[in-house]
Amino acid sequence: MKHDHYDAVVIGAGHNGLVTACYLQRAGLKVLVLERNSYIGGATTSISKYEDFTYSNCSYVCSLFRQEIARDLELYKFGMQVIPYNGGAQIIKNEDGSHDMLGAYWHADANRRDLERLSKRDANAYDRLNRDIMRQCEFIKPLLMRTPPDPTSFKPRDLMELLYLGKRFYGLGKERMLETIRFYTMSAADYLNEYLENDALKSYVAGGATVGTALGVYSPGTAYVLLHHAMGDIDGTVGAWGFARGGMGAISKALNDSFIASGGEVRVNAGVSKFIVERGKVKGMQLEDGEVIDADLVVSGMDVRRTFNAVDPNELPAWVVERVKNFRFRGSSAKINIALDGVPKFHGVPDGSPCLTGDIHISQSMEELETAYDDWKAGRWSDKPYLDMLIPSLIDPTMTPEGKHWMSIFIQYCPYEPAEGGWTEARRQAFGQHIVNRIAEFSPDFTEKMLHMELRTPKDIETEVGLTEGNIFQGELTMDQLIFNRPIPGYAQYRSPIKGLYMCGSSTHPGGGVMGAPGANAAREVLLDLGRRN
């Protein structure tokens, strides 16, 4: 079959692949995007699975997406809109069996008054905690859109980048320098213990430290994961979170529309089986249906293992093959979407509370979170999992019929492979029912309001979305897999050992989340190698 010539082919129409494609197309290249699924977006999708309900099927909240990318690619012109939510609720079960709610209000004074009911000390400490986390955000945020330096290189660009990092770090001052070193090596539990005394409040904050990571709240390094979920912003409000109007697929749609408007081309149902490499240079790819596409420049949005599994290992240095094999994914997250016939009631939560427009948590203590991790280590889904529950339709009515709602439920922990055997349909249903039963302990009418449930285990996420072991970040966010170690030392600058083969997925710096930074950074490196203006 005869093909048009393309200057670049991007593998995967996830948000990072589309970001890369948009920048390359706008720089004057002719770009083709290949997507193995019948739809675009990867994990950033909105698909209707039940009547007139639309779910954000995998990723479900927005904050990390870089505003400079949105402006560059005119995503708001193409319909992207983020609606901030203004609350959150931690439902507390008291020793006498009664329930109470700890509200996370957008208004600072209301939030403080609610915290004072639990602990006046924590009401003061909570402000200090947020201040210190924001200070860590201030240090790392400028690094998100920069290419990591190679610390073993004497190239002027790497030396200058190392100097930039050193000057930023030295500029923190002695006290904050020492605090930053401690922060990146601490567990979330140890870090929070230095500020807060109420266990329920600590568990509310600490849950984010385990998201997408097969570690527990007492594991060293989880304080950084906590930071990773605090450094986003909406309309300049640092740390704010919200919903993409119409679901997370609206972000992918805006990217796709921007790409097409610039003259790009997308092909779906076009999965890649292998890259064709000759004398150390990529020459194209073979699709799963046997079709061969010639290309001198390929950018892979697949994770690092899937990318290099598509290359003959004889074309790669043996140490690279071994490093990629040891890159940790360890899927531990599941996702459930539920259509609801109305807003469910929750014990201790007043009807119409604004707190229901944000995250609803029911973890009671740090020990409960750690025990949930212990269950995962034993190959079981957690008896009392960390659940991040949201009802986006409370502030975005475009996704459900009038008077109906849908709930997004993120679950930590769930094994990629249960110890008792693989994921049979019976086990999948038992897992889903277990989660429903757990929620029903805190919501008396939850089960009767359920109309439909969509369930994804880590295995389902891998099969449907192409994320190895179902890891939502394309690899764990631990210190040995960050910055110039991501994905592997020596190849953290979006290039690969194969000339002309680049990487733009979340396996590269700065990691996962619907951020777009890996895609933008990869595009910059491609254009640099081509001598094109960025």
Side-chain angles (χ1 to χ4, degrees):
M1 183 183 297
K2 181 177 175 57
H3 299 283
D4 293 332
H5 172 74
Y6 298 97
D7 296 317
V9 177
V10 176
I11 312 302
H15 69 281
N16 278 314
L18 289 171
V19 166
T20 300
C22 283
Y23 276 110
L24 296 183
Q25 186 71 32
R26 285 171 176 245
L29 277 66
K30 186 174 183 180
V31 183
L32 170 68
V33 175
L34 299 175
E35 169 57 48
R36 70 168 194 153
N37 286 321
S38 60
Y39 54 88
I40 65 164
T44 312
T45 58
S46 303
I47 300 175
S48 178
K49 295 281 187 173
Y50 174 72
E51 296 183 355
D52 294 329
F53 288 77
T54 300
Y55 300 144
S56 289
N57 302 81
C58 293
S59 62
Y60 57 102
V61 286
C62 185
S63 172
L64 296 173
F65 197 86
R66 307 311 308 152
Q67 293 302 303
E68 51 266 61
I69 298 174
R71 291 191 296 268
D72 286 347
L73 304 182
E74 302 176 286
L75 299 187
Y76 300 112
K77 168 185 170 182
F78 292 101
M80 189 178 92
Q81 179 183 358
V82 180
I83 311 167
Y85 56 75
N86 58 358
Q90 170 80 342
I91 303 175
I92 302 171
K93 187 174 183 178
N94 300 314
E95 292 183 2
D96 62 2
S98 64
H99 292 79
D100 198 1
M101 180 194 76
L102 172 62
Y105 297 91
W106 187 248
H107 194 283
D109 289 339
N111 198 57
R112 183 181 182 87
R113 285 195 298 270
D114 214 48
L115 287 172
E116 286 178 341
R117 293 191 301 110
L118 290 180
S119 165
K120 289 189 176 181
R121 177 185 179 277
D122 280 359
N124 292 320
Y126 193 72
D127 290 337
R128 290 192 296 107
L129 170 66
N130 285 325
R131 179 202 65 192
D132 290 348
I133 289 178
M134 287 303 108
R135 283 178 173 175
Q136 296 297 335
C137 291
E138 289 172 4
F139 173 71
I140 197 171
K141 280 185 70 175
L143 310 182
L144 301 179
M145 294 288 288
R146 301 178 73 95
T147 298
D150 182 348
T152 68
S153 169
F154 287 96
K155 294 179 180 179
R157 186 184 180 204
D158 289 312
L159 293 175
M160 291 297 292
E161 194 65 21
L162 284 169
L163 179 62
Y164 171 81
L165 284 172
K167 289 176 69 174
R168 278 195 59 79
F169 185 63
Y170 185 77
L172 294 175
K174 181 177 179 180
E175 182 178 345
R176 287 180 61 186
M177 286 169 65
L178 295 173
E179 182 60 27
T180 296
I181 293 172
R182 290 184 70 243
F183 177 83
Y184 279 84
T185 57
M186 291 179 76
S187 73
D190 289 336
Y191 185 70
L192 294 176
N193 283 342
E194 296 187 357
Y195 294 85
L196 306 174
E197 62 181 6
N198 185 274
D199 212 17
L201 177 58
K202 283 190 284 188
S203 70
Y204 179 77
V205 177
T210 69
V211 169
T213 304
L215 295 172
V217 290
Y218 288 93
S219 301
T222 48
Y224 170 76
V225 185
L226 189 68
L227 170 64
H228 192 80
H229 290 86
M231 61 187 175
D233 68 79
I234 298 175
D235 294 334
T237 303
V238 179
W241 286 84
F243 304 119
R245 185 175 177 85
M248 292 297 285
I251 297 175
S252 299
K253 183 180 184 302
L255 285 166
N256 183 71
D257 291 349
S258 175
F259 177 56
I260 298 299
S262 300
E265 181 182 342
V266 177
R267 286 180 56 185
V268 295
N269 298 312
V272 172
S273 64
K274 66 177 181 180
F275 296 116
I276 300 170
V277 179
E278 295 179 7
R279 294 187 292 275
K281 186 179 188 309
V282 69
K283 291 296 183 181
M285 64 224 70
Q286 180 177 313
L287 304 187
E288 292 172 350
D289 63 4
E291 180 183 353
V292 174
I293 297 178
D294 298 329
D296 293 328
L297 192 158
V298 177
V299 188
S300 174
M302 300 186 291
D303 65 53
V304 63
R305 188 175 298 173
R306 285 176 177 256
T307 296
F308 287 114
N309 281 350
V311 177
D312 184 336
N314 294 320
E315 299 286 350
L316 296 167
W319 72 268
V320 170
V321 175
E322 188 65 20
R323 283 279 192 175
V324 171
K325 178 182 176 183
N326 292 332
F327 187 80
R328 293 191 313 282
F329 292 90
R330 302 197 303 172
S332 57
S333 309
K335 175 75 190 297
I336 291 177
N337 299 304
I338 294 179
L340 295 166
D341 186 19
V343 180
K345 295 181 181 295
F346 289 91
H347 293 305
V349 180
D351 291 342
S353 171
C355 296
L356 292 181
T357 66
D359 305 85
I360 306 166
H361 295 179
I362 57 176
S363 297
Q364 300 298 297
S365 67
M366 298 294 281
E367 188 62 33
E368 183 176 294
L369 290 174
E370 187 69 11
T371 302
Y373 174 51
D374 292 338
D375 290 338
W376 178 87
K377 288 187 292 183
R380 305 185 301 266
W381 57 71
S382 301
D383 181 52
K384 294 181 178 179
Y386 166 72
L387 302 179
D388 187 27
M389 301 179 287
L390 300 107
I391 309 175
S393 48
L394 283 172
I395 56 176
D396 178 12
T398 67
M399 302 184 70
T400 62
E402 185 176 356
K404 312 294 183 183
H405 292 276
W406 77 279
M407 177 182 278
S408 168
I409 308 166
F410 177 87
I411 301 127
Q412 193 83 12
Y413 304 80
C414 178
Y416 172 67
E417 289 285 359
E420 59 187 2
W423 279 105
T424 64
E425 185 57 27
R427 286 198 184 98
R428 288 181 74 255
Q429 295 303 318
F431 169 65
Q433 189 60 51
H434 174 71
I435 300 301
V436 170
N437 293 343
R438 177 61 176 162
I439 298 171
E441 293 179 32
F442 295 83
S443 174
D445 62 347
F446 184 75
T447 54
E448 67 186 59
K449 279 188 162 55
M450 286 180 56
L451 300 172
H452 174 262
M453 181 170 70
E454 179 190 39
L455 166 66
R456 283 181 176 84
T457 67
K459 188 72 171 179
D460 295 326
I461 294 172
E462 178 184 64
T463 302
E464 295 179 29
V465 186
L467 297 174
T468 297
E469 295 184 30
N471 185 282
I472 62 173
F473 294 145
Q474 283 197 356
E476 290 185 338
L477 299 175
T478 52
M479 286 306 297
D480 61 317
Q481 293 191 167
L482 291 176
I483 315 175
F484 38 71
N485 288 329
R486 192 170 185 90
I488 59 175
Y491 292 101
Q493 297 180 329
Y494 311 98
R495 298 168 181 84
S496 77
I498 306 299
K499 187 176 181 181
L501 177 61
Y502 297 81
M503 295 173 284
C504 70
S506 296
S507 285
T508 60
H509 172 78
V514 183
M515 189 183 303
N521 294 344
R524 182 179 59 244
E525 297 306 307
V526 170
L527 294 174
L528 180 67
D529 289 350
L530 293 177
R532 295 267 190 150
R533 181 183 178 190
N534 181 9

